[in-house]
Amino acid sequence: MTEIEIKEYAVRTYLSLDEKRLKDTFDLLKAALADLQNWQLNEKLNELETTYKFMLRYLTEGVKDPEQHHIYLDLLRSCYKLSDSIFLQLNIKYSQGLYYYHKKKEITPIPLNEVLTALIQSMEDITGKIALTSLLEEGSERRKRLSALEKENETLAAKIFTSIWLNESLTEEETESLDRFINSKVNSYTTKSLIISAISLNMQISFDENKALILLRSCENEEEEVRQRALIGTLLFLRKYNNRIDLYPEIIHRLDYLSENKSFLSNLRDIILQFILSKETEKITKKFTEEIIPEMMKISPELRNKIKLDDLMGETGIEDKNPEWTEILEKTGLTDKLQEFSELQMEGADIMHSSFAHLKTYPFFNELSNWFIPFYANQSMLDDFRSDETETLLKTMQESSVLCNSDKYSFFLSIAQMPEAYRKMMIGQFVAESDSVKELQKEELIGQQKKSAIISKQYIQDLYRFFKIHPSKAYFDDIFEERPDFMQVPVIRKIMADKETRVIIGEYYFHRNYFNEAVSIFDGLIAEGIDKDVIYQKKGYCLQMTNNLEQALEAYLKAELLNGNSSWTIKKIAYCYRMLKKPEEALIYYRKAEHQNPDNLSIQLSIGHCYLELKDYTEALKCYFKVEYLDKNGEKAWRPIAWCSFLTGKYEQAMDYFDKILKQNPNASDFLNSGHTQLAIGHINQAIHFYKMSMMSADNSLEKFNLAFQNDIPELLQSGINKEDIPLVLDRLMYDIELKNV
C-alpha cells in the first residue's frame, strides 16, 4: 500500500466515523487490516463490530438498555482509537516520514513510564547540582562545571522530548509523572516547554485523551512560556479532532472550567489573531524577495554615487542622512513598501522569515527538539562560540522580543562565524536596536497580557519555521494550511462566544482581506442582532470581493432597510445591479446616490454607463458631458463621449474626441474605435491604418484583434456600414499586414 492510498483510506474512514456510519467504518478498517496481518488489531475490530451488532439487535427488538448511550459513546471512542492504531501501523510499515522512521527503529526494552521516571529523576538531580554549583563554586571552574551540567540536562531534555513525541498513548502513571514535572517549581521552564511542544506535535499525529488533559491543565501553569505553548497546543488539537471532542466528557468539563477565566479567553483570542496574521508570512516573503530586494538592487549604484566618503567621515559621522537618499527611495516606491513592512512588524507580522529561512542548516537544527527549545543564554550548545562580546549579545537576545527563539539561535550561530570586525558591528547594531525596543516597551508599560502575546507570537513563528522549512516538512500535516479555521470549529466557537471576541476576530479577518472567514463570523453577529446595518454592509463587501454578487446585493439591500441614508450602501447596491446586468435597477440607485452627491464624477459616469447599457445614447451623452464639464482635465469622459457620439451618428464629434485620446495614452480599443469611426465616414484607408495600430497595441495578436472586432459588428451595422463590406475591409487589412511582414 502506498502512502497516498493510506491517506485516502484514512480520510474515508474518519469521515464515516464523523458521520457515525459504523458499518462503513468496519468495512474500511477490514480492508486496511488485510495489508497488516495484525491478529491483535483484527481481534479488536471483530470485538467492536460484534458489540455494535448486539446493540443494533437490541434496538430493533425493542429491548430497553439504560446503558445503551454510554455503550455507544464508548464504542465510538474505541473505533476512533482503533482507527488511529491501524493507520499508525500502516504508516510505520510504508511511510518514509521522520516520525515513522523513528518508530521503525525504536526499541524500548522497558515501559515508557520507567524511561520517563529515570530521565525525570536524573534531570531533577542535575537541576539541584546546577543550583548548588551556582552558589558554591566561582570563576572559570564554575563555568565549566555549569556547562557540563547544562549539557547533561539538555541531552536528557531531548530524550524526554523524543520519548513523548513517539509515544502512542500515555498511561495514568505516565500522565501523573509528566503533570508533576510540569508543575514543579524546581524544574527548568525550558524542559517543561519542550514537553508541551512534544505533546502538541504528537497530538497532530494521533489523538490521546491523557495528553489532551495535560495540555489543558498546563493552560494554568504559572510559567508564561509553558502556559502559552499549552494554549497553542490546545487550540491545535481542538481543531484537528473537533469531530470527536464531544466523546470525552472530561475534556469538555475542563474546557468549560477554563472558559470561566477571562485571561484564558483573552490569551486564546490573541493566539487566534496571531495565527490569522501568520497567513501573511508567505505574502510578505514574496513581496520582500520579488519587490523590495530587486528595487534595492536597482538603486544601489545611484546611492553609491550619492554617498561620498566625506559624508561618512565628516564631523557628523554616519548619523546625518542625506535628504537626497530619501528622494531616491521615494522615486522607486520603496518608501511606501518599507513603511508597510514597518506597520506589519508593529502588528506582530513575521517579517523575518525570509531572512532566516536559509539559516537552519547548522548542526544545531539536526536535533528535532532544538526547533522548539526556548532561547536562553546558558545553552551549552553555544559554549564553543562564547566570548566577552557574545555574552552581552546572548543576554540581550534572551530578553529581545524582535526575533523568535529559532531565529535567535540561527542569528547567534551565524554571527559567531563572522570575521571579528563584522561580528562586532552586527552585535552593536542588534544590541542598540534591542535597547530601543526595550525603551519603547517601557513607555508602553508592557503588562502581563502584552508579555504573553509576545511569547505566543514567538512560539507560533517557531512552529512556522518547523512546518515550512524542516527537511522532513513534506511528511507533517502543515498546521498553517489545515482547515477548518479556528472560529469555524464548534467547540472553539462555543468557548469564544462572547461578543467582544467575535467582533475583534471578525474585524481582523475583514481588515486582512480574509473575506470568507469574516462572513462566517458576521453571520453569527447578525443572527444576534449586533450592529446589523454595519455588519450587513461588511458582509456585502466581503461577498462582493469574492464575486458572490447576488448574495452581496442581498446583504446590501438588508443594510439599506436598516439605514436608508447610507450613500455608501446605495452606491454598492447600484454597482451590484449593474454588474448583474440589471441597468434599470442600477439606474434607480445611482439616481438616489446622485441626489446625495450631485457633482460626484464617479456617480455621473456610472449613470452614463447605465444609459449606455440601456442603449439610451442621448441621455448617456448628457451625463458624460456633465462629467467633462465638472472634471478639471475632462479626460475621464472622453472615451464614453467618443463612443456614444459614434453610436448616435455624430462621427465628426466622435473623431474630435478620439483625436484627443490618441494624443494622450491610447490603447488597442482606442485605435479600434477610431478605425470604426473612419469606416463609418467612408475613409477606408484611414480605418485600416487605425486597425493596424490596434493590432500592434494588442501585442500584434490577430486573435485578440479579431475577437474585439467581431464583438463590435452589431454597432458597425447599426451605424450604416454595409455588412458585405466588412469582410472585404478585413481582407484588405490582412494583405497589408502580409505585405509589411514581407
Side-chain angles (χ1 to χ4, degrees):
M1 191 179 286
T2 66
E3 291 179 60
I4 293 174
E5 287 173 332
I6 294 170
K7 194 164 189 176
E8 288 174 352
Y9 258 106
V11 169
R12 289 168 60 196
T13 301
Y14 288 120
L15 180 61
S16 66
L17 261 174
D18 294 343
E19 295 175 353
K20 298 181 174 54
R21 294 182 284 107
L22 294 191
K23 168 66 169 63
D24 291 344
T25 301
F26 292 136
D27 290 342
L28 287 163
L29 291 177
K30 283 174 190 174
L33 270 172
D35 192 279
L36 275 179
Q37 297 180 343
N38 185 313
W39 67 269
Q40 291 169 310
L41 293 175
N42 248 318
E43 194 173 277
K44 181 64 178 175
L45 178 60
N46 291 333
E47 180 188 318
L48 291 175
E49 188 170 22
T50 300
T51 301
Y52 188 54
K53 285 177 179 177
F54 274 119
M55 195 182 87
L56 293 178
R57 197 174 93 189
Y58 292 154
L59 178 70
T60 54
E61 291 177 358
V63 177
K64 298 292 182 182
D65 184 355
E67 293 298 312
Q68 180 180 306
H69 178 67
H70 296 294
I71 292 170
Y72 184 51
L73 290 181
D74 190 54
L75 185 64
L76 286 170
R77 282 192 292 267
S78 298
C79 284
Y80 274 113
K81 191 171 182 180
L82 179 62
S83 300
D84 291 343
S85 297
I86 290 171
F87 291 114
L88 178 63
Q89 292 305 315
L90 282 169
N91 276 305
I92 289 172
K93 185 175 179 180
Y94 292 108
S95 176
Q96 301 301 309
L98 186 65
Y99 177 86
Y100 305 109
Y101 167 76
H102 279 284
K103 289 291 285 183
K104 283 173 194 173
K105 70 174 187 175
E106 182 194 23
I107 301 171
T108 310
I110 52 177
L112 176 63
N113 188 55
E114 293 182 37
V115 176
L116 283 176
T117 302
L119 290 172
I120 289 171
Q121 185 59 54
S122 298
M123 184 167 284
E124 288 174 343
D125 291 344
I126 292 166
T127 302
K129 290 176 184 177
I130 290 172
L132 194 62
T133 302
S134 299
L135 288 171
L136 300 180
E137 296 186 21
E138 295 181 0
S140 60
E141 285 302 314
R142 175 189 174 193
R143 178 64 252 173
K144 286 180 184 177
R145 177 66 176 152
L146 282 174
S147 179
L149 289 169
E150 282 289 353
K151 191 168 186 178
E152 199 175 339
N153 208 20
E154 290 155 13
T155 302
L156 290 171
K159 286 181 179 178
I160 289 177
F161 178 94
T162 303
S163 297
I164 295 169
W165 175 52
L166 295 174
N167 174 260
E168 291 177 38
S169 59
L170 295 174
T171 65
E172 293 300 324
E173 198 176 353
E174 290 161 356
T175 304
E176 287 175 15
S177 295
L178 287 172
D179 268 332
R180 192 164 51 249
F181 185 90
I182 292 167
N183 291 313
S184 168
K185 294 182 179 180
V186 176
N187 298 317
S188 164
Y189 82 93
T190 57
T191 307
K192 295 178 187 178
S193 298
L194 277 181
I195 288 173
I196 296 299
S197 291
I199 291 173
S200 300
L201 199 62
N202 175 274
M203 287 283 283
Q204 291 303 300
I205 296 167
S206 62
F207 181 84
D208 178 27
E209 183 182 12
N210 282 330
K211 294 194 191 90
L213 289 169
I214 288 175
L215 288 176
L216 288 165
R217 285 191 286 269
S218 298
C219 288
E220 293 185 293
N221 194 278
E222 291 181 0
E223 293 180 275
E224 195 67 64
E225 186 82 42
V226 177
R227 185 163 65 250
Q228 292 304 314
R229 291 189 180 214
L231 286 161
I232 291 167
T234 295
L235 271 175
L236 291 172
F237 90 71
L238 288 177
R239 178 180 66 179
K240 187 167 184 71
Y241 302 107
N242 67 89
N243 290 314
R244 64 171 98 171
I245 294 299
D246 286 339
L247 301 174
Y248 297 91
E250 195 172 347
I251 291 177
I252 296 299
H253 174 73
R254 190 75 195 176
L255 283 169
D256 290 341
Y257 164 74
L258 288 169
S259 299
E260 295 175 5
N261 186 327
K262 288 184 179 179
S263 176
F264 171 78
L265 297 175
S266 175
N267 280 328
L268 279 190
R269 184 175 68 205
D270 287 342
I271 290 166
I272 290 173
L273 293 176
Q274 193 62 44
F275 267 105
I276 296 170
L277 197 55
S278 73
K279 295 171 185 279
E280 300 288 300
T281 305
E282 289 301 320
K283 297 178 190 174
I284 292 169
T285 300
K286 187 175 181 182
K287 191 163 191 173
F288 193 79
T289 54
E290 294 182 7
E291 296 181 31
I292 302 290
I293 297 297
E295 285 298 333
M296 292 184 79
M297 294 298 289
K298 287 177 190 175
I299 67 169
S300 57
E302 191 174 353
L303 275 176
R304 279 197 293 270
N305 292 332
K306 294 287 184 184
I307 300 172
K308 307 297 182 187
L309 186 61
D310 292 340
D311 291 338
L312 298 177
M313 302 300 292
E315 291 181 6
T316 57
I318 62 170
E319 292 178 3
D320 250 357
K321 292 184 174 66
N322 190 330
E324 291 180 0
W325 307 344
T326 304
E327 291 174 17
I328 296 168
L329 291 176
E330 287 174 351
K331 285 178 187 175
T332 63
L334 268 176
T335 303
D336 292 339
K337 289 173 184 174
L338 292 171
Q339 177 63 30
E340 182 186 348
F341 269 67
S342 177
E343 290 169 2
L344 283 166
Q345 186 176 24
M346 292 299 289
E347 278 189 63
D350 187 357
I351 68 168
M352 296 295 185
H353 176 66
S354 61
S355 302
F356 287 91
H358 63 289
L359 293 176
K360 306 298 178 188
T361 55
Y362 295 107
F364 175 82
F365 291 104
N366 292 343
E367 179 65 58
L368 186 71
S369 59
N370 287 343
W371 288 78
F372 307 98
I373 191 168
F375 185 90
Y376 62 103
N378 292 330
Q379 167 67 260
S380 71
M381 284 174 276
L382 305 178
D383 285 348
D384 292 342
F385 309 103
R386 290 183 191 276
S387 63
D388 291 341
E389 61 189 9
T390 56
E391 281 298 324
T392 304
L393 175 64
L394 283 169
K395 289 175 184 175
T396 303
M397 288 176 72
Q398 183 168 311
E399 298 172 5
S400 173
S401 62
V402 176
L403 301 177
C404 67
N405 300 289
S406 178
D407 287 353
K408 286 178 183 179
Y409 284 114
S410 295
F411 184 62
F412 182 82
L413 291 169
S414 61
I415 276 186
Q417 298 178 36
M418 290 177 182
E420 184 180 356
Y422 196 56
R423 182 170 65 245
K424 284 182 177 179
M425 183 189 74
M426 292 293 287
I427 289 172
Q429 286 180 349
F430 185 86
V431 171
E433 184 177 341
S434 295
D435 288 343
S436 299
V437 172
K438 275 189 212 171
E439 287 302 313
L440 183 63
Q441 289 176 347
K442 283 179 186 176
E443 290 174 14
E444 293 178 351
L445 300 173
I446 285 186
Q448 192 62 31
Q449 188 173 353
K450 182 70 175 177
K451 182 184 176 184
S452 65
I454 290 171
I455 289 173
S456 62
K457 176 197 76 172
Q458 290 176 324
Y459 181 54
I460 289 170
Q461 290 177 1
D462 290 333
L463 290 170
Y464 194 90
R465 277 133 188 77
F466 174 76
F467 283 100
K468 298 293 185 181
I469 301 172
H470 192 277
S472 295
K473 63 183 180 181
Y475 294 100
F476 291 100
D477 291 334
D478 189 346
I479 62 171
F480 295 93
E481 299 294 335
E482 276 201 23
R483 294 291 182 268
D485 176 74
F486 288 116
M487 290 302 288
Q488 292 173 332
V489 177
V491 66
I492 296 175
R493 191 166 60 237
K494 181 184 174 185
I495 295 169
M496 313 295 287
D498 63 291
K499 173 189 170 183
E500 182 185 5
T501 292
R502 287 178 298 135
V503 167
I504 289 172
I505 293 176
E507 289 294 334
Y508 203 70
Y509 275 130
F510 185 76
H511 173 64
R512 303 241 61 91
N513 296 337
Y514 296 110
F515 299 120
N516 290 325
E517 291 87 346
V519 166
S520 177
I521 293 177
F522 290 157
D523 280 338
L525 295 172
I526 287 168
E528 295 175 33
I530 298 170
D531 300 331
K532 288 178 73 171
D533 59 326
V534 176
I535 300 296
Y536 269 127
Q537 284 180 336
K538 291 180 177 179
K539 178 184 176 181
Y541 182 81
C542 291
L543 292 166
Q544 177 190 325
M545 296 305 291
T546 53
N547 211 31
N548 294 308
L549 291 177
E550 289 186 0
Q551 294 177 50
L553 177 59
E554 184 182 342
Y556 288 140
L557 288 170
K558 287 178 179 176
E560 186 202 15
L561 281 174
L562 295 165
N563 179 8
N565 295 320
S566 170
S567 62
W568 185 89
T569 303
I570 290 168
K571 284 187 284 186
K572 288 295 179 183
I573 292 171
Y575 171 83
C576 287
Y577 272 130
R578 190 171 157 240
M579 291 298 104
L580 289 168
K581 307 299 181 188
K582 297 180 179 179
E584 289 184 18
E585 291 88 340
L587 190 56
I588 293 169
Y589 278 91
Y590 277 128
R591 286 300 188 191
K592 286 184 181 180
E594 180 190 30
H595 181 72
Q596 294 175 327
N597 298 282
D599 294 333
N600 184 285
L601 297 182
S602 177
I603 293 171
Q604 288 300 321
L605 274 173
S606 296
I607 291 172
H609 295 336
C610 287
Y611 280 120
L612 183 61
E613 288 161 17
L614 289 167
K615 301 190 185 303
D616 189 341
Y617 305 126
T618 302
E619 286 299 318
L621 270 174
K622 289 179 183 177
C623 295
Y624 295 142
F625 279 128
K626 183 176 179 180
V627 171
E628 184 185 30
Y629 173 75
L630 294 172
D631 184 19
K632 289 181 181 178
N633 298 320
E635 295 176 13
K636 289 182 180 179
W638 286 355
R639 283 185 174 88
I641 289 174
W643 185 241
C644 279
S645 298
F646 168 75
L647 292 173
T648 52
K650 300 174 181 177
Y651 302 126
E652 294 299 330
Q653 180 173 286
M655 208 55 244
D656 287 343
Y657 278 93
F658 279 129
D659 285 343
K660 291 181 182 180
I661 296 165
L662 296 180
K663 289 174 184 175
Q664 299 292 323
N665 188 24
N667 56 39
S669 291
D670 296 327
F671 287 117
L672 182 70
N673 295 337
S674 297
H676 293 338
T677 308
Q678 293 291 347
L679 190 61
I681 295 171
H683 299 162
I684 296 176
N685 282 331
Q686 276 295 92
I688 289 172
H689 165 72
F690 284 125
Y691 289 152
K692 286 179 193 174
M693 297 297 292
S694 177
M695 192 182 303
M696 289 172 61
S697 298
D699 305 320
N700 285 321
S701 171
L702 182 59
E703 184 180 352
K704 288 181 182 177
F705 173 80
N706 280 332
L707 180 63
F709 195 99
Q710 294 299 321
N711 288 335
D712 287 348
I713 285 178
E715 283 75 17
L716 295 179
L717 297 177
Q718 182 183 318
S719 68
I721 294 169
N722 190 331
K723 185 177 181 180
E724 294 177 358
D725 289 344
I726 292 174
L728 301 178
V729 170
L730 289 174
D731 278 346
R732 170 63 192 278
L733 174 64
M734 295 304 105
Y735 277 118
D736 278 10
I737 292 170
E738 278 185 11
L739 187 62
K740 182 182 177 183
N741 291 334
V742 170

